[in-house]
């Protein structure tokens, strides 16, 4: 908004500029620039969230890999192993993180 007003102020006589600025306000051009600025800020927030979620995703994957099989218990029949509560919980959080990361990157 300020850039447009500054440009108009430089090229228009004062009385014409005043009328032009009023018309821009009436037509919602000033509001459009305000909305644009807010959208740019929102995009920055989403980008920071995506970066943080990406780092968390990487950390959770490393933890899930590290703890995979470390404390699994054999089933009652002994035919297979049951993942530990810690491994299951890490994978649940990893799934949530991946979902949140997908949402944030779609914004």
């Amino acid at each position: 908004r300020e850039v447009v007003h500054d440009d108009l102020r430089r090229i228009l006589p004062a009385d014409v500029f005043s009328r032009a600025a009023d018309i821009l306000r009436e037509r919602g051009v000033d509001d459009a620039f305000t909305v644009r600025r807010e959208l740019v800020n929102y995009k920055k927030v989403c980008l920071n969230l995506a970066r943080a979620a990406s780092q968390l995703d990487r950390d959770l994957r490393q933890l899930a890999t590290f703890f995979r099989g470390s404390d699994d218990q054999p089933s009652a029949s002994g035919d297979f192993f049951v993942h530990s509560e810690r491994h299951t919980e890490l994978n649940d959080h990893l799934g949530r993180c991946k979902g949140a990361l997908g949402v944030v990157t779609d914004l």
Side-chain angles (χ1 to χ4, degrees), residues 68-83:
R68 187 174 192 283
S70 64
D71 50 2
D72 292 351
Q73 298 295 319
S75 66
S77 65
D79 295 338
F80 57 91
F81 283 87
V82 178
H83 290 299

Side-chain angles (χ1 to χ4, degrees), residues 9-93:
R9 191 177 290 116
R10 286 187 189 111
I11 62 169
L12 297 175
D15 59 328
V16 177
F17 166 73
S18 177
R19 179 148 160 56
D22 290 341
I23 291 171
L24 291 175
R25 256 190 294 306
E26 289 170 10
R27 300 292 179 170
V29 173
D30 290 351
D31 292 338
F33 278 103
T34 301
V35 169
R36 180 189 176 278
R37 185 174 51 245
E38 292 301 318
L39 286 172
V40 167
N41 290 333
Y42 179 70
K43 183 179 177 182
K44 290 176 184 177
V45 168
C46 289
L47 180 61
N48 287 331
L49 281 173
R51 286 180 181 159
S54 180
Q55 180 62 47
L56 180 60
D57 176 69
R58 185 178 327 137
D59 293 345
L60 287 172
R61 278 187 286 126
Q62 288 175 348
L63 284 171
T65 301
F66 180 77
F67 288 119
R68 187 174 192 283
S70 64
D71 50 2
D72 292 351
Q73 298 295 319
S75 66
S77 65
D79 295 338
F80 57 91
F81 283 87
V82 178
H83 290 299
S84 69
E85 186 69 30
R86 176 174 47 187
H87 182 72
T88 301
E89 188 176 333
L90 279 170
N91 279 306
D92 288 346
H93 290 301

